Structures are given as structure tokens and as C-alpha cells.
Amino acid sequence: MTDQVLSGVRVLDLSRWVAGEYAAKLFGDFGADVVKVERPGEGSLTRAWGPFPDDVPDPERSALFLHLNTNKRSVALDLRDDADREVLLDLVRSAHAVVESFRPGHLEELGLGPDVLRELNPSLVLTRISAFGQSGPYRDREATGLVLQGAGGPMHATGQADRAPLRKPGLLEHYTVGRTAAQATMAGLLRARRTGRGATIDVSGQEVLLAGADRRASYLLSASYSGIIAPRGARSPHRHGATFTGPFRAADGFVMVYVTNQAFWNRFVHLIAADDPAFRERFLDRQTVVGEDREDFMAHVTAWIAARPKIEVMEAAEGARIPVTAYLAVSEVMAHPHFRERGAFEVGDHPAAGRLEYAGAPWRMERGYALRSTAPLLDQHGADVRAELSTAQHDTTEVTA
């Protein structure tokens, strides 16, 4: 087995959706033994969520599940069945952390609440992920990712101020919650290592988004002492930052321009007006452009970019040290020489899905990320896990005797 930075750590993954599975994946990818507990016959909810090859649903071929569950072992347990509950409790005895994302109170209904689990294993870190937290007036409310984005604040910062808010795409909120849950779990593990005492960690999805890494936390602080409520809009004047940004159509795709300060602005003006001294002198050193000036500037930029391939625009901007990027298609990303040279993708073989190419961790470290195994089949490791528990119990009995 590969010796990795988290080798020797055992995590039980009781979650059934993205945030919890992603949190546990981050441990597995760096060496932890992650045992994923799934519902018999059905498995995780992410098994039913595509995309699927040829758009044919298959619980063993969900791209979402295959992504979220690398380096995990699967055991199917019915947590309402006494024998299966005993298996789970045996796993808890040897675990360092448990990640769950049931509705608040469900774990207690199963007789598996924090008091039960931590009595069995006082150093256990129990990470509980929910939409609104384990307490408070909203504790039992229904929520989706869209609800969390609306209630947590991200949609306050999206879209134009005179139009309806926009949802950030994909499952971004769930991944954000999962990453935070992993950070919290790691903090709990470090505490347990130092003190021998575990922790019960309450992760509220809404509060994760409230303290989001984009501008919300600083906006909230600003509002609390200045009373200024940050407006929506791509270029809100109060930000005092970017002077020009937006997507533009190139000859073969799009580029994104993001000019964030005066130096970038002047370089950009020099770039697009290399053959037009009058235009250059008109716009050089400008901090804002409005009215007719803006219309003329936008028309010039639009025409300049439209006449060139997107990579040519990006390379010209890079040569002038301006942050402009081409929008890359998936196939272009997969074949990109920079990613390839850095080894950004890992290849693994899955018994049902075939050969898969995974995006690895976005940083490199000695004994760090490794793709030891692709996502498991449902209950693929059930017999092995039970055998390990049986062996451990036998060894304990012999030592005691």
C-alpha cells in the first residue's frame, strides 16, 4: 500500500450526498482508509445522479459517484438492522472520524447519536453536515443547493443589480460545504491527537456560504460598521478595483478580460491600440469610461478581439502581462500541455465504468495525493470489512484471555 500523509487514519463515511462524500474523499485521496457505509440495494444518492455514459442510468457508472468516492471501500449496512448496527459500532471503535449528513436528529433516532458513538470511542471526531445546523429555528427545514445559495448569501452577489439574482452553477455550494467539513474534521483530529478527546462538529451549510471565500464575509463586516450594503452587479463602484471586465467573442470562441488596476488598464490600452495612436491617447490613464466614451471603447475592444483566435488574444495579453484567458473547451483542458506536464490527471480502471481519467489534487507534496483505487462497487468490500472486524475481535479476545 502506498505510504501517504494520512495513512493510518480511518474515516467512516455515512453521508449520501455531495458535501459529505467530498469531505471524506479528501481524506481518502491522501491516504486515509475511508469506509463508505451505504444503504443495501440502493447505495448512495449520488449513484443515481448523472451524468451517465449514453445517458443510461447505472448506479455503478455515475460520473458524480465515481468522482466523489475514489480511494474508498464500500460496505452495505442497514442501520435499522441490529446485526448491521453492530457492524457499524465495531467500525466506530476503530475509526478516527465519522462524517454524516443525515437530517438533524436522524442519527439519534437510529440510536447512533454522538453520546453513543463517543462513549464507544472517546477520541472519535464526529462531523455532522446539515443545511442549517443541528440547532436553531431552521434546523428541520428542507433545503437544496439553490435554497442554500439564496439563504446563505451567494445569490446576493450574482447577476446585474436590475435583474433577478443568478445561481452559481453546478454543485459549487455542496463542494464548498464539503471542503469546510473536511477542514473542520482535520482540526478535530489534530485536537484528538493532542488531547485524546474527540469532538462533535456541527457544520451548517448556510453558515459555510455566509462566510464564503468570495466577498460576503467582508461585505457583512463592512455593513455592520458602515451601514453600506454592497450592491449586486459585475462592476459595483464601491469595490474600487476592476476597471474593465467581461467575456468577449473571439474568432473561434471566447476570451475573458479582467483588468483589475490602472497598470493593467494602461497595458490593455497599449495592446489594443498599437495601431491607433489617437485611440491610445484618448483612453490611456483613464480610471473610468462612461457614456459615449464607453460605447466607443467597447466597440473597439469587441472588434479587436473578434478579429483574432482566442489563443492568439490570450498569448498577446500574456506577452503584455495582462490577465486575459481563453475559455477552454473540455477537450482542450484534457489535452492542455501545462496540465499534462504537471501530471494533473490520474488514470484508473473501474470494473464497471472502464478506464477513467481523474483530475488529481491541485497541489503537489511528498506522500500526498494518490489514486489507489477508483470508486467502489456497492458493497464491494463488505465481506473484507466484516472479516477484518472478526479478526480484530478474535485477536482482542486472545489478548484478554
Side-chain angles (χ1 to χ4, degrees):
M1 179 177 291
T2 305
D3 182 26
Q4 295 175 258
V5 66
L6 293 181
S7 295
V9 173
R10 170 171 285 182
V11 177
L12 299 188
D13 178 6
L14 305 187
S15 66
R16 304 182 68 204
W17 189 238
V18 176
E21 291 192 345
Y22 185 55
K25 166 186 169 66
L26 293 176
F27 283 88
D29 285 354
F30 284 81
D33 174 24
V34 179
V35 178
K36 180 164 187 56
V37 177
E38 300 194 73
R39 179 177 291 180
E42 178 181 333
S44 171
L45 295 174
T46 56
R47 289 184 182 274
W49 190 280
F52 300 98
D54 301 322
D55 207 23
V56 177
D58 182 337
E60 302 297 358
R61 303 176 78 194
S62 156
L64 183 63
F65 182 85
L66 292 170
H67 164 64
L68 289 169
N69 293 284
T70 51
N71 297 313
K72 297 183 185 180
R73 299 193 290 167
S74 170
V75 55
L77 297 177
D78 179 355
L79 299 184
R80 296 188 183 280
D81 178 85
D82 289 342
D84 281 1
R85 278 167 36 85
E86 285 304 313
V87 173
L88 178 72
L89 294 175
D90 285 341
L91 285 168
V92 168
R93 290 185 177 90
S94 62
H96 297 88
V98 172
V99 177
E100 66 99 354
S101 59
F102 295 119
R103 286 172 177 272
H106 184 66
L107 208 58
E108 287 83 349
E109 291 174 8
L110 294 170
L112 298 169
D115 54 336
V116 174
L117 302 186
R118 292 184 60 192
E119 183 177 355
L120 283 177
N121 182 350
S123 64
L124 183 72
V125 175
L126 173 60
T127 300
R128 316 191 70 180
I129 302 170
S130 61
F132 298 104
Q134 301 292 322
S135 61
Y138 279 26
R139 187 190 92 138
D140 297 317
R141 291 202 171 197
E142 298 285 350
T144 62
L146 181 60
V147 169
L148 291 182
Q149 286 205 22
M155 291 175 69
H156 176 72
T158 60
Q160 297 298 323
D162 59 346
R163 297 184 180 181
L166 299 174
R167 181 194 178 185
K168 295 186 176 182
L171 299 166
L172 183 63
E173 66 279 357
H174 297 290
Y175 283 98
T176 304
V177 174
R179 187 180 301 279
T180 301
Q183 293 170 343
T185 305
M186 181 61 75
L189 291 176
L190 292 173
R191 175 179 184 267
R193 174 174 292 184
R194 189 177 71 252
T195 67
R197 298 194 300 275
T200 300
I201 298 172
D202 176 3
V203 179
S204 158
Q206 184 191 28
E207 291 175 31
V208 169
L209 299 185
L210 183 72
D214 53 8
R215 302 168 301 279
R216 285 185 303 285
S218 59
Y219 280 10
L220 288 170
L221 177 61
S222 173
S224 72
Y225 72 77
S226 70
I228 297 175
I229 306 300
R232 289 191 299 117
R235 295 274 55 83
S236 301
H238 76 288
R239 293 178 190 164
H240 305 293
T243 55
F244 183 67
T245 186
F248 290 85
R249 183 182 292 278
D252 59 349
F254 285 87
V255 298
M256 182 69 183
V257 177
Y258 201 73
V259 175
T260 57
N261 57 47
Q262 196 66 53
F264 287 156
W265 171 270
N266 283 344
R267 293 173 192 169
F268 190 66
V269 170
H270 276 291
L271 177 67
I272 63 175
D275 300 323
D276 190 342
F279 183 91
R280 183 170 66 245
E281 293 306 314
R282 179 182 174 189
F283 289 99
L284 203 60
D285 294 324
R286 295 281 295 272
Q287 294 186 351
T288 58
V289 287
V290 297
E292 184 177 347
D293 283 350
R294 179 174 178 78
E295 292 179 6
D296 290 348
F297 186 80
M298 291 294 288
H300 186 99
V301 172
T302 300
W304 190 87
I305 292 176
R308 293 164 173 79
K310 62 183 182 181
I311 298 299
E312 181 180 318
V313 174
M314 183 175 71
E315 294 300 328
E318 173 59 27
R321 301 192 63 76
I322 307 165
V324 173
T325 184
Y327 285 85
L328 300 180
V330 171
S331 58
E332 292 173 313
V333 170
M334 296 292 288
H336 200 283
H338 182 77
F339 292 139
R340 289 295 165 189
E341 183 174 321
R342 281 181 54 79
F345 300 102
E346 296 280 346
V347 175
D349 292 312
H350 186 271
R355 174 141 293 198
L356 301 171
E357 194 161 30
Y358 286 95
W363 70 90
R364 310 289 183 273
M365 64 178 288
E366 185 180 355
R367 298 169 56 217
Y369 170 86
L371 180 62
R372 304 188 310 281
S373 64
T374 55
L377 302 174
L378 178 58
D379 201 33
Q380 180 178 345
H381 305 93
D384 293 342
V385 169
R386 286 180 168 84
E388 289 172 8
L389 293 173
S390 178
T391 300
Q393 289 171 349
H394 176 75
D395 292 346
T396 301
T397 301
E398 283 198 341
V399 170
T400 302

